[in-house]
Amino acid sequence: MTLLTIENLSLEIQKKEILKSVNLKIKRGEIFGLLGESGCGKSMTAAAITKLLPMHSNLTGKIFLDNENLVKTSETNMGSIRGKKISMIFQEPMTALNPLQTIGKQISESLLLHHNITKRDAMEIVINGLNEVGLDPLIISPNRYPYQLSGGQRQRVMIAMACILKPKLIIADEPTTALDVKTQAEILCLLKDLVEKENISLLLITHDLGVIAKLAHKVAIMKNGKLIDTGETKTVFTRLSHGYTRKILSDSIPKIVAPPKISQNVLLNVISISKTYKRKFSALEGKNFNTPTLRNISFSIRKGECLGLVGESGCGKSTLARSILGLESLDSGEINLDGAILSFVDKPTRDIRSKIQIVFQDPFSSFNPRHQIHRIISEPFNLLKKKHNKELKSKLLKEIISAVELEENDLKKYPHQFSGGQRQRIALARAIIIRPKLIILDEALSALDVSLRNNILVLLQKLSLKFNLSYLFISHDIHLIKAITNRVLIMRDGTLIEIGKTRKILKNPSHPYTKSLINATPSIPKSWIKRLGGKS
Amino acid sequence: MNNSKFITNFTQLPPNLYIGLIIAGFVFAVGLISIIWTPHDITVLNIQEKLKPPGNKLYFFGTDHFGRDILSMLMIGAKTSLLVASCATFLGIILGVPLGLLAASRSEDLVDDIIMRGNDLIFAFPAIIIAILITAILGPSIENTIIAIGIFNIPVFARITRGAALPIFTLDFIMAARACGKNSFQICSEHVLPNIASILIVQTTIQISLGILAESGLSYVGLGTQPPMASWGRMLADSQTMISFAPHLALAPGIAIIVTVLSINILGDGLRDYLDPKLKKNLS
Amino acid sequence: MLSYLRARLFTLIISVLLSSFTIFVLIEVVPGDPASFMLGINATEETVESLRKELGLDHNFLNRYLDWSIGMLSGDFGISYTYRVPVQELIMERLKVSLPLATLSLTLSIFIAFPVGMLAVQFQGKKIDHAIMVVSQIGIAIPNFWFAMILVLIFSINLQWFSAGGFYGWESGFLMGLKSLILPAIALALPQASILSRIIRSAILNTLMEDYIRTARSKGLSLRQVIPRHALRNALIPVLTILGLQFSFLLAGAIIIENVFFLPGLGRLIFQAITQRDLIVVESAVMLLVFSVIMVNFIVDLLYILVDPRLRK
């Protein structure tokens, strides 16, 4: 009952080895997870199976789909396999659909391409397909354009498109990574139900062990283009016969580093702030659309505390962060830092600003690519009243670069010479060089591979103790929040719906929204974690 | 060791960069030389020597209907072309780039709208219309040609600067700089300009080559450079009535224009290949 | 869609108002006294005074602007000082040459550029593509008026297929009229087509790198099928933008080309008017040219709606 067999598959792109002799088997109706960090070759495996490879690639080995070797088959023949026998779902729902075509037309395209049917018949099948993915055709008409749908709805359209011809194999490449937690849970459920119902095999490519644990019958773990470990999902993660498997499992569980004791002194006090984001005035568009982004928000951060802030994208988290930084003028309310008023309507003074710094999510856009690290890290000196002389500056630079566990000669390098994890260390160095009191970590760990997260978590804790720092830790990841924060705020549509001790809220959420958020978060089975603890 | 590193870098330069640089550099040098020396004095008319064909010992490219040396006129024409096109491009940069930066940094308010609508307005006036309006009032001169082409360059640079700067302004390092108390001017000069410089450099070459074409067109219809100053456009205008019996008069300046514009365009392509960050990663 | 339309219409009106005001100020205010400017230094005090009356210079400047702009809206462009006929008649006569010339060359450049650009895409990286890129690179560098002169040298003087210049007029038959416009149109169209074909090529190639092209390929479409179904329409947006901007270059080129072929078009009218210092003609003809550029860009904005459903909301 094997559907897909890959034997000794190797891939070179422009003389660079991408895949090294990969072997795997996928059975009919099976959900097969392919797990690995970014750049390990998982997406290229998918591209190899469909033979949609970049230019100058050299593919060797065998890929059997029902006894037909796809490596040897002609491009014309591949055209009749793609869409009909193998279809794909991609990560970015915003860009994977043609913005200028109706979704009905895009879904029906493969029908019309592979079957000799009329457009009217095709449209009927499309309407059925929309129904199956949970989009009511009476509400979401096939005549809609992608821009009229939300991210989750677009991903449903992608799934409808992939399933419309009842293929034998669906390859889903990080299908939920770009989505919010709750949408992710819904989409994963839908995928699971559909493939089970139609007996379709699913190759699920992901970096998220939680997703694998939830869905995959079998798993293969990939590293640097090689398969390290493979087998039944449960067996692989309880047997833990490979060091790398063990590492992935332990990395996927964030280390608890939340400070046990915190002082009672309040550092930051946010008192009922509100902010309405005004759209650019235009006589052209007639009226202004004003949507409130922050509604009457109050909370405080104590000295040495790590306060978590959880919410889905667009809930106002980033606006709140900017407001605290003094980069956003508020409609009403007050923010106090160490007793001094930080921002109301006027711009705050440099002195107050120097007490708050920020670390961003994307380690790639956080630095000017044309500046050397020493210039990047010393930028906050600009906030100081008294300018440091050269010697003091270089002394402080050396001190801070070793505090974030990097080398002194890294100061002369450029950002592109560093990996993502190192970049977040540089971002931290920039944030703490002028000894602020509060650091805002805006999804600072979200873009990192799991293997790097725990190290940064530990570093954050060290720095907090060494430099007396408090953190505002903004994240959508419940597991990370649990690991590092003492208290947590849950935010939705610009309002705070829950505040309290992290443990308490995660255990007994009072608000239904919090409850659904926690339930939607894919988590790793306790039994696996136990095995890990037992063996190490 | 340093030396070998230099050489490897040198050979990695895109070939079109060399070719463009060599030819455009040659034209530039010829224009410079014409300031101090030309084979003949073109302000002296020598009717006895008129309409000599090319290949003549004294007059390498022949002479025109006044007996002026074509080679000398071509050399001076090179100077005129490059002078007008560079000055006009410079005018476009010093006014257009700040406007574009201002528009991009204030993209959420009215300033952006006003600047961009102003741009659209100038765009509605083709360079030749501006030249016509200016000459109608002030009379034709080389300065007015520069102003006419320069005005047309302003919205070009404003638009390209704004377009390139907008995505930069959304990046986190801009926000980090703001959090460090940097003002708009510092942010533009330290963070935005260096990151869009390559796009502006490539656009500069494009505008210079367009400027050379515009200058020749304006001079051809009599709105540009005035005699006795030589320009390729004027030479073409003069040659038109004689094209049936002295085609070399039309060919020489035409080919000069094509070669110059072509070399600058190739240079621009080479610069784009060289400065493009995607390719640059492979180089460094 | 309504808000988009309203925005474009607003821009259109503002642009027309501001450009007419600019032209008016430049021509009637900057030279000082337009009447003495037009008549030159030899004019007597009396003639200057009577021209002043005729031009309405005794009124204040704002009233004159209003009179002029309202007059233009109702089709009254004033009376030419040198020809002594209504300016609109002069312009209408010249438009019979300029309008067909512009249309012909624009159509020609589009009909050349699209197939050539698509051909380059089909054979991307191959010899045909390289050849197209080299030829179009040279095409961009050729000044159109020089190209026109070369065309005359080859086709009129040597081969004698066409006359070297002048316009037979539409009265002598449609084909005769068309014949005298063919060489000028080709001279205008070829450099334009060079730029346009390069733009089309790069727009399609850029679109081919989009995610939704990968989606389409994964449905089983071949590279050849993907281009007409998914890439072409999406690539049209940047191409339209460039096409709008090109019109202004086309117009500028046409003014110059008319001089090469001695065509009695709008450009020649403006030049004659300048040498005769007939500011009334210059003013109105320039306004008409600027207005046509603004209108073409407005039409391009409307075409976006056809291409892009996101603007229809």
Side-chain angles (χ1 to χ4, degrees), chain B residues 49-54 59 61-70 246 248-249:
Chain B
E49 300 284 332
K50 73 173 182 179
L51 293 175
K52 291 264 189 258
Y59 308 99
F61 282 138
T63 58
D64 72 353
H65 55 299
F66 290 126
R68 292 177 295 183
D69 177 38
I70 297 292
H248 69 277
L249 293 184

mmCIF file with all atom_site columns, all heavy atoms in Angstrom, chain B residues 49-54 59 61-70 246 248-249:
data_model
loop_
_atom_site.group_PDB
_atom_site.id
_atom_site.type_symbol
_atom_site.label_atom_id
_atom_site.label_alt_id
_atom_site.label_comp_id
_atom_site.label_asym_id
_atom_site.label_entity_id
_atom_site.label_seq_id
_atom_site.pdbx_PDB_ins_code
_atom_site.Cartn_x
_atom_site.Cartn_y
_atom_site.Cartn_z
_atom_site.occupancy
_atom_site.B_iso_or_equiv
_atom_site.pdbx_formal_charge
_atom_site.auth_seq_id
_atom_site.auth_comp_id
_atom_site.auth_asym_id
_atom_site.auth_atom_id
_atom_site.pdbx_PDB_model_num
ATOM 1   N N   . GLU B 1 49  ? 37.323 75.556 -47.908 1.00 0.00 ? 49  GLU B N   1
ATOM 2   C CA  . GLU B 1 49  ? 37.508 74.168 -47.468 1.00 0.00 ? 49  GLU B CA  1
ATOM 3   C C   . GLU B 1 49  ? 36.179 73.462 -47.243 1.00 0.00 ? 49  GLU B C   1
ATOM 4   O O   . GLU B 1 49  ? 36.118 72.435 -46.588 1.00 0.00 ? 49  GLU B O   1
ATOM 5   C CB  . GLU B 1 49  ? 38.311 74.144 -46.160 1.00 0.00 ? 49  GLU B CB  1
ATOM 6   C CG  . GLU B 1 49  ? 39.690 74.757 -46.268 1.00 0.00 ? 49  GLU B CG  1
ATOM 7   C CD  . GLU B 1 49  ? 40.661 73.829 -46.979 1.00 0.00 ? 49  GLU B CD  1
ATOM 8   O OE1 . GLU B 1 49  ? 40.461 72.607 -46.909 1.00 0.00 ? 49  GLU B OE1 1
ATOM 9   O OE2 . GLU B 1 49  ? 41.595 74.344 -47.627 1.00 0.00 ? 49  GLU B OE2 1
ATOM 10  N N   . LYS B 1 50  ? 35.056 74.025 -47.753 1.00 0.00 ? 50  LYS B N   1
ATOM 11  C CA  . LYS B 1 50  ? 33.751 73.493 -47.349 1.00 0.00 ? 50  LYS B CA  1
ATOM 12  C C   . LYS B 1 50  ? 33.479 72.093 -47.923 1.00 0.00 ? 50  LYS B C   1
ATOM 13  O O   . LYS B 1 50  ? 33.985 71.735 -48.986 1.00 0.00 ? 50  LYS B O   1
ATOM 14  C CB  . LYS B 1 50  ? 32.644 74.456 -47.759 1.00 0.00 ? 50  LYS B CB  1
ATOM 15  C CG  . LYS B 1 50  ? 32.371 74.470 -49.253 1.00 0.00 ? 50  LYS B CG  1
ATOM 16  C CD  . LYS B 1 50  ? 31.146 75.316 -49.550 1.00 0.00 ? 50  LYS B CD  1
ATOM 17  C CE  . LYS B 1 50  ? 30.868 75.255 -51.048 1.00 0.00 ? 50  LYS B CE  1
ATOM 18  N NZ  . LYS B 1 50  ? 29.695 76.036 -51.414 1.00 0.00 ? 50  LYS B NZ  1
ATOM 19  N N   . LEU B 1 51  ? 32.667 71.340 -47.140 1.00 0.00 ? 51  LEU B N   1
ATOM 20  C CA  . LEU B 1 51  ? 32.160 70.028 -47.547 1.00 0.00 ? 51  LEU B CA  1
ATOM 21  C C   . LEU B 1 51  ? 33.240 69.057 -48.010 1.00 0.00 ? 51  LEU B C   1
ATOM 22  O O   . LEU B 1 51  ? 33.084 68.333 -48.980 1.00 0.00 ? 51  LEU B O   1
ATOM 23  C CB  . LEU B 1 51  ? 31.095 70.187 -48.641 1.00 0.00 ? 51  LEU B CB  1
ATOM 24  C CG  . LEU B 1 51  ? 29.813 70.855 -48.175 1.00 0.00 ? 51  LEU B CG  1
ATOM 25  C CD1 . LEU B 1 51  ? 28.868 71.069 -49.343 1.00 0.00 ? 51  LEU B CD1 1
ATOM 26  C CD2 . LEU B 1 51  ? 29.134 70.057 -47.075 1.00 0.00 ? 51  LEU B CD2 1
ATOM 27  N N   . LYS B 1 52  ? 34.374 69.074 -47.314 1.00 0.00 ? 52  LYS B N   1
ATOM 28  C CA  . LYS B 1 52  ? 35.393 68.053 -47.587 1.00 0.00 ? 52  LYS B CA  1
ATOM 29  C C   . LYS B 1 52  ? 34.891 66.715 -47.049 1.00 0.00 ? 52  LYS B C   1
ATOM 30  O O   . LYS B 1 52  ? 34.360 66.638 -45.957 1.00 0.00 ? 52  LYS B O   1
ATOM 31  C CB  . LYS B 1 52  ? 36.704 68.419 -46.880 1.00 0.00 ? 52  LYS B CB  1
ATOM 32  C CG  . LYS B 1 52  ? 37.396 69.625 -47.466 1.00 0.00 ? 52  LYS B CG  1
ATOM 33  C CD  . LYS B 1 52  ? 38.465 69.201 -48.456 1.00 0.00 ? 52  LYS B CD  1
ATOM 34  C CE  . LYS B 1 52  ? 39.306 70.395 -48.865 1.00 0.00 ? 52  LYS B CE  1
ATOM 35  N NZ  . LYS B 1 52  ? 39.003 70.963 -50.137 1.00 0.00 ? 52  LYS B NZ  1
ATOM 36  N N   . PRO B 1 53  ? 35.073 65.648 -47.826 1.00 0.00 ? 53  PRO B N   1
ATOM 37  C CA  . PRO B 1 53  ? 34.643 64.334 -47.329 1.00 0.00 ? 53  PRO B CA  1
ATOM 38  C C   . PRO B 1 53  ? 35.565 63.840 -46.212 1.00 0.00 ? 53  PRO B C   1
ATOM 39  O O   . PRO B 1 53  ? 36.681 64.327 -46.075 1.00 0.00 ? 53  PRO B O   1
ATOM 40  C CB  . PRO B 1 53  ? 34.748 63.446 -48.567 1.00 0.00 ? 53  PRO B CB  1
ATOM 41  C CG  . PRO B 1 53  ? 35.745 64.109 -49.425 1.00 0.00 ? 53  PRO B CG  1
ATOM 42  C CD  . PRO B 1 53  ? 35.660 65.586 -49.166 1.00 0.00 ? 53  PRO B CD  1
ATOM 43  N N   . PRO B 1 54  ? 35.108 62.872 -45.437 1.00 0.00 ? 54  PRO B N   1
ATOM 44  C CA  . PRO B 1 54  ? 35.949 62.335 -44.356 1.00 0.00 ? 54  PRO B CA  1
ATOM 45  C C   . PRO B 1 54  ? 37.182 61.643 -44.910 1.00 0.00 ? 54  PRO B C   1
ATOM 46  O O   . PRO B 1 54  ? 37.207 61.247 -46.070 1.00 0.00 ? 54  PRO B O   1
ATOM 47  C CB  . PRO B 1 54  ? 35.040 61.333 -43.643 1.00 0.00 ? 54  PRO B CB  1
ATOM 48  C CG  . PRO B 1 54  ? 33.735 61.364 -44.326 1.00 0.00 ? 54  PRO B CG  1
ATOM 49  C CD  . PRO B 1 54  ? 33.799 62.242 -45.500 1.00 0.00 ? 54  PRO B CD  1
ATOM 50  N N   . TYR B 1 59  ? 41.459 67.312 -42.302 1.00 0.00 ? 59  TYR B N   1
ATOM 51  C CA  . TYR B 1 59  ? 40.161 67.219 -41.610 1.00 0.00 ? 59  TYR B CA  1
ATOM 52  C C   . TYR B 1 59  ? 39.728 65.759 -41.585 1.00 0.00 ? 59  TYR B C   1
ATOM 53  O O   . TYR B 1 59  ? 39.204 65.241 -42.564 1.00 0.00 ? 59  TYR B O   1
ATOM 54  C CB  . TYR B 1 59  ? 39.100 68.062 -42.325 1.00 0.00 ? 59  TYR B CB  1
ATOM 55  C CG  . TYR B 1 59  ? 39.529 69.481 -42.560 1.00 0.00 ? 59  TYR B CG  1
ATOM 56  C CD1 . TYR B 1 59  ? 40.032 69.892 -43.783 1.00 0.00 ? 59  TYR B CD1 1
ATOM 57  C CD2 . TYR B 1 59  ? 39.425 70.413 -41.524 1.00 0.00 ? 59  TYR B CD2 1
ATOM 58  C CE1 . TYR B 1 59  ? 40.426 71.191 -43.987 1.00 0.00 ? 59  TYR B CE1 1
ATOM 59  C CE2 . TYR B 1 59  ? 39.822 71.720 -41.722 1.00 0.00 ? 59  TYR B CE2 1
ATOM 60  C CZ  . TYR B 1 59  ? 40.322 72.103 -42.961 1.00 0.00 ? 59  TYR B CZ  1
ATOM 61  O OH  . TYR B 1 59  ? 40.706 73.382 -43.161 1.00 0.00 ? 59  TYR B OH  1
ATOM 62  N N   . PHE B 1 61  ? 37.380 63.964 -40.154 1.00 0.00 ? 61  PHE B N   1
ATOM 63  C CA  . PHE B 1 61  ? 35.979 63.629 -40.425 1.00 0.00 ? 61  PHE B CA  1
ATOM 64  C C   . PHE B 1 61  ? 35.365 64.542 -41.482 1.00 0.00 ? 61  PHE B C   1
ATOM 65  O O   . PHE B 1 61  ? 34.160 64.622 -41.629 1.00 0.00 ? 61  PHE B O   1
ATOM 66  C CB  . PHE B 1 61  ? 35.143 63.721 -39.134 1.00 0.00 ? 61  PHE B CB  1
ATOM 67  C CG  . PHE B 1 61  ? 35.321 62.518 -38.237 1.00 0.00 ? 61  PHE B CG  1
ATOM 68  C CD1 . PHE B 1 61  ? 35.445 62.668 -36.867 1.00 0.00 ? 61  PHE B CD1 1
ATOM 69  C CD2 . PHE B 1 61  ? 35.333 61.240 -38.771 1.00 0.00 ? 61  PHE B CD2 1
ATOM 70  C CE1 . PHE B 1 61  ? 35.599 61.564 -36.047 1.00 0.00 ? 61  PHE B CE1 1
ATOM 71  C CE2 . PHE B 1 61  ? 35.476 60.130 -37.956 1.00 0.00 ? 61  PHE B CE2 1
ATOM 72  C CZ  . PHE B 1 61  ? 35.620 60.293 -36.583 1.00 0.00 ? 61  PHE B CZ  1
ATOM 73  N N   . GLY B 1 62  ? 36.211 65.307 -42.199 1.00 0.00 ? 62  GLY B N   1
ATOM 74  C CA  . GLY B 1 62  ? 35.695 66.209 -43.223 1.00 0.00 ? 62  GLY B CA  1
ATOM 75  C C   . GLY B 1 62  ? 35.283 67.557 -42.655 1.00 0.00 ? 62  GLY B C   1
ATOM 76  O O   . GLY B 1 62  ? 35.507 67.856 -41.483 1.00 0.00 ? 62  GLY B O   1
ATOM 77  N N   . THR B 1 63  ? 34.657 68.357 -43.498 1.00 0.00 ? 63  THR B N   1
ATOM 78  C CA  . THR B 1 63  ? 34.217 69.683 -43.060 1.00 0.00 ? 63  THR B CA  1
ATOM 79  C C   . THR B 1 63  ? 32.761 69.889 -43.448 1.00 0.00 ? 63  THR B C   1
ATOM 80  O O   . THR B 1 63  ? 32.211 69.173 -44.268 1.00 0.00 ? 63  THR B O   1
ATOM 81  C CB  . THR B 1 63  ? 35.051 70.803 -43.730 1.00 0.00 ? 63  THR B CB  1
ATOM 82  O OG1 . THR B 1 63  ? 34.899 70.654 -45.157 1.00 0.00 ? 63  THR B OG1 1
ATOM 83  C CG2 . THR B 1 63  ? 36.499 70.712 -43.357 1.00 0.00 ? 63  THR B CG2 1
ATOM 84  N N   . ASP B 1 64  ? 32.142 70.919 -42.830 1.00 0.00 ? 64  ASP B N   1
ATOM 85  C CA  . ASP B 1 64  ? 30.736 71.205 -43.144 1.00 0.00 ? 64  ASP B CA  1
ATOM 86  C C   . ASP B 1 64  ? 30.650 72.310 -44.208 1.00 0.00 ? 64  ASP B C   1
ATOM 87  O O   . ASP B 1 64  ? 31.648 72.689 -44.803 1.00 0.00 ? 64  ASP B O   1
ATOM 88  C CB  . ASP B 1 64  ? 29.955 71.552 -41.882 1.00 0.00 ? 64  ASP B CB  1
ATOM 89  C CG  . ASP B 1 64  ? 30.319 72.922 -41.339 1.00 0.00 ? 64  ASP B CG  1
ATOM 90  O OD1 . ASP B 1 64  ? 31.272 73.549 -41.866 1.00 0.00 ? 64  ASP B OD1 1
ATOM 91  O OD2 . ASP B 1 64  ? 29.659 73.371 -40.392 1.00 0.00 ? 64  ASP B OD2 1
ATOM 92  N N   . HIS B 1 65  ? 29.448 72.820 -44.423 1.00 0.00 ? 65  HIS B N   1
ATOM 93  C CA  . HIS B 1 65  ? 29.238 73.778 -45.514 1.00 0.00 ? 65  HIS B CA  1
ATOM 94  C C   . HIS B 1 65  ? 29.909 75.119 -45.272 1.00 0.00 ? 65  HIS B C   1
ATOM 95  O O   . HIS B 1 65  ? 30.002 75.941 -46.159 1.00 0.00 ? 65  HIS B O   1
ATOM 96  C CB  . HIS B 1 65  ? 27.735 73.968 -45.752 1.00 0.00 ? 65  HIS B CB  1
ATOM 97  C CG  . HIS B 1 65  ? 27.003 74.380 -44.520 1.00 0.00 ? 65  HIS B CG  1
ATOM 98  N ND1 . HIS B 1 65  ? 26.967 73.608 -43.392 1.00 0.00 ? 65  HIS B ND1 1
ATOM 99  C CD2 . HIS B 1 65  ? 26.271 75.474 -44.241 1.00 0.00 ? 65  HIS B CD2 1
ATOM 100 C CE1 . HIS B 1 65  ? 26.243 74.206 -42.461 1.00 0.00 ? 65  HIS B CE1 1
ATOM 101 N NE2 . HIS B 1 65  ? 25.802 75.344 -42.950 1.00 0.00 ? 65  HIS B NE2 1
ATOM 102 N N   . PHE B 1 66  ? 30.360 75.382 -44.036 1.00 0.00 ? 66  PHE B N   1
ATOM 103 C CA  . PHE B 1 66  ? 31.127 76.602 -43.775 1.00 0.00 ? 66  PHE B CA  1
ATOM 104 C C   . PHE B 1 66  ? 32.620 76.323 -43.742 1.00 0.00 ? 66  PHE B C   1
ATOM 105 O O   . PHE B 1 66  ? 33.407 77.181 -43.385 1.00 0.00 ? 66  PHE B O   1
ATOM 106 C CB  . PHE B 1 66  ? 30.715 77.216 -42.433 1.00 0.00 ? 66  PHE B CB  1
ATOM 107 C CG  . PHE B 1 66  ? 29.340 77.805 -42.446 1.00 0.00 ? 66  PHE B CG  1
ATOM 108 C CD1 . PHE B 1 66  ? 28.387 77.414 -41.502 1.00 0.00 ? 66  PHE B CD1 1
ATOM 109 C CD2 . PHE B 1 66  ? 28.988 78.766 -43.394 1.00 0.00 ? 66  PHE B CD2 1
ATOM 110 C CE1 . PHE B 1 66  ? 27.125 77.970 -41.510 1.00 0.00 ? 66  PHE B CE1 1
ATOM 111 C CE2 . PHE B 1 66  ? 27.717 79.316 -43.398 1.00 0.00 ? 66  PHE B CE2 1
ATOM 112 C CZ  . PHE B 1 66  ? 26.790 78.916 -42.462 1.00 0.00 ? 66  PHE B CZ  1
ATOM 113 N N   . GLY B 1 67  ? 32.991 75.059 -44.017 1.00 0.00 ? 67  GLY B N   1
ATOM 114 C CA  . GLY B 1 67  ? 34.400 74.694 -43.967 1.00 0.00 ? 67  GLY B CA  1
ATOM 115 C C   . GLY B 1 67  ? 34.910 74.462 -42.560 1.00 0.00 ? 67  GLY B C   1
ATOM 116 O O   . GLY B 1 67  ? 36.114 74.474 -42.311 1.00 0.00 ? 67  GLY B O   1
ATOM 117 N N   . ARG B 1 68  ? 33.995 74.252 -41.599 1.00 0.00 ? 68  ARG B N   1
ATOM 118 C CA  . ARG B 1 68  ? 34.437 73.986 -40.224 1.00 0.00 ? 68  ARG B CA  1
ATOM 119 C C   . ARG B 1 68  ? 34.797 72.504 -40.061 1.00 0.00 ? 68  ARG B C   1
ATOM 120 O O   . ARG B 1 68  ? 34.173 71.644 -40.672 1.00 0.00 ? 68  ARG B O   1
ATOM 121 C CB  . ARG B 1 68  ? 33.344 74.369 -39.227 1.00 0.00 ? 68  ARG B CB  1
ATOM 122 C CG  . ARG B 1 68  ? 33.108 75.862 -39.157 1.00 0.00 ? 68  ARG B CG  1
ATOM 123 C CD  . ARG B 1 68  ? 31.975 76.199 -38.212 1.00 0.00 ? 68  ARG B CD  1
ATOM 124 N NE  . ARG B 1 68  ? 30.696 75.663 -38.701 1.00 0.00 ? 68  ARG B NE  1
ATOM 125 C CZ  . ARG B 1 68  ? 29.544 75.880 -38.083 1.00 0.00 ? 68  ARG B CZ  1
ATOM 126 N NH1 . ARG B 1 68  ? 29.504 76.585 -36.965 1.00 0.00 ? 68  ARG B NH1 1
ATOM 127 N NH2 . ARG B 1 68  ? 28.426 75.384 -38.567 1.00 0.00 ? 68  ARG B NH2 1
ATOM 128 N N   . ASP B 1 69  ? 35.768 72.244 -39.228 1.00 0.00 ? 69  ASP B N   1
ATOM 129 C CA  . ASP B 1 69  ? 36.244 70.876 -39.022 1.00 0.00 ? 69  ASP B CA  1
ATOM 130 C C   . ASP B 1 69  ? 35.234 70.079 -38.197 1.00 0.00 ? 69  ASP B C   1
ATOM 131 O O   . ASP B 1 69  ? 34.894 70.452 -37.077 1.00 0.00 ? 69  ASP B O   1
ATOM 132 C CB  . ASP B 1 69  ? 37.597 70.932 -38.302 1.00 0.00 ? 69  ASP B CB  1
ATOM 133 C CG  . ASP B 1 69  ? 38.110 69.536 -37.983 1.00 0.00 ? 69  ASP B CG  1
ATOM 134 O OD1 . ASP B 1 69  ? 37.904 68.644 -38.831 1.00 0.00 ? 69  ASP B OD1 1
ATOM 135 O OD2 . ASP B 1 69  ? 38.693 69.360 -36.898 1.00 0.00 ? 69  ASP B OD2 1
ATOM 136 N N   . ILE B 1 70  ? 34.758 68.961 -38.770 1.00 0.00 ? 70  ILE B N   1
ATOM 137 C CA  . ILE B 1 70  ? 33.732 68.161 -38.090 1.00 0.00 ? 70  ILE B CA  1
ATOM 138 C C   . ILE B 1 70  ? 34.275 67.570 -36.794 1.00 0.00 ? 70  ILE B C   1
ATOM 139 O O   . ILE B 1 70  ? 33.595 67.562 -35.766 1.00 0.00 ? 70  ILE B O   1
ATOM 140 C CB  . ILE B 1 70  ? 33.249 67.018 -39.020 1.00 0.00 ? 70  ILE B CB  1
ATOM 141 C CG1 . ILE B 1 70  ? 32.573 67.585 -40.269 1.00 0.00 ? 70  ILE B CG1 1
ATOM 142 C CG2 . ILE B 1 70  ? 32.277 66.096 -38.280 1.00 0.00 ? 70  ILE B CG2 1
ATOM 143 C CD1 . ILE B 1 70  ? 31.281 68.267 -40.032 1.00 0.00 ? 70  ILE B CD1 1
ATOM 144 N N   . ALA B 1 246 ? 25.878 65.088 -48.766 1.00 0.00 ? 246 ALA B N   1
ATOM 145 C CA  . ALA B 1 246 ? 26.946 64.976 -47.754 1.00 0.00 ? 246 ALA B CA  1
ATOM 146 C C   . ALA B 1 246 ? 26.432 64.248 -46.527 1.00 0.00 ? 246 ALA B C   1
ATOM 147 O O   . ALA B 1 246 ? 26.290 64.829 -45.458 1.00 0.00 ? 246 ALA B O   1
ATOM 148 C CB  . ALA B 1 246 ? 27.462 66.372 -47.371 1.00 0.00 ? 246 ALA B CB  1
ATOM 149 N N   . HIS B 1 248 ? 27.779 62.301 -44.565 1.00 0.00 ? 248 HIS B N   1
ATOM 150 C CA  . HIS B 1 248 ? 28.686 62.170 -43.418 1.00 0.00 ? 248 HIS B CA  1
ATOM 151 C C   . HIS B 1 248 ? 28.405 63.246 -42.370 1.00 0.00 ? 248 HIS B C   1
ATOM 152 O O   . HIS B 1 248 ? 28.642 63.058 -41.191 1.00 0.00 ? 248 HIS B O   1
ATOM 153 C CB  . HIS B 1 248 ? 30.148 62.229 -43.874 1.00 0.00 ? 248 HIS B CB  1
ATOM 154 C CG  . HIS B 1 248 ? 30.579 63.574 -44.377 1.00 0.00 ? 248 HIS B CG  1
ATOM 155 N ND1 . HIS B 1 248 ? 30.350 64.000 -45.668 1.00 0.00 ? 248 HIS B ND1 1
ATOM 156 C CD2 . HIS B 1 248 ? 31.225 64.581 -43.742 1.00 0.00 ? 248 HIS B CD2 1
ATOM 157 C CE1 . HIS B 1 248 ? 30.838 65.222 -45.804 1.00 0.00 ? 248 HIS B CE1 1
ATOM 158 N NE2 . HIS B 1 248 ? 31.363 65.598 -44.654 1.00 0.00 ? 248 HIS B NE2 1
ATOM 159 N N   . LEU B 1 249 ? 27.863 64.384 -42.813 1.00 0.00 ? 249 LEU B N   1
ATOM 160 C CA  . LEU B 1 249 ? 27.540 65.452 -41.859 1.00 0.00 ? 249 LEU B CA  1
ATOM 161 C C   . LEU B 1 249 ? 26.476 65.000 -40.876 1.00 0.00 ? 249 LEU B C   1
ATOM 162 O O   . LEU B 1 249 ? 26.444 65.427 -39.728 1.00 0.00 ? 249 LEU B O   1
ATOM 163 C CB  . LEU B 1 249 ? 27.050 66.704 -42.607 1.00 0.00 ? 249 LEU B CB  1
ATOM 164 C CG  . LEU B 1 249 ? 28.071 67.418 -43.477 1.00 0.00 ? 249 LEU B CG  1
ATOM 165 C CD1 . LEU B 1 249 ? 27.456 68.689 -44.051 1.00 0.00 ? 249 LEU B CD1 1
ATOM 166 C CD2 . LEU B 1 249 ? 29.312 67.745 -42.670 1.00 0.00 ? 249 LEU B CD2 1
#
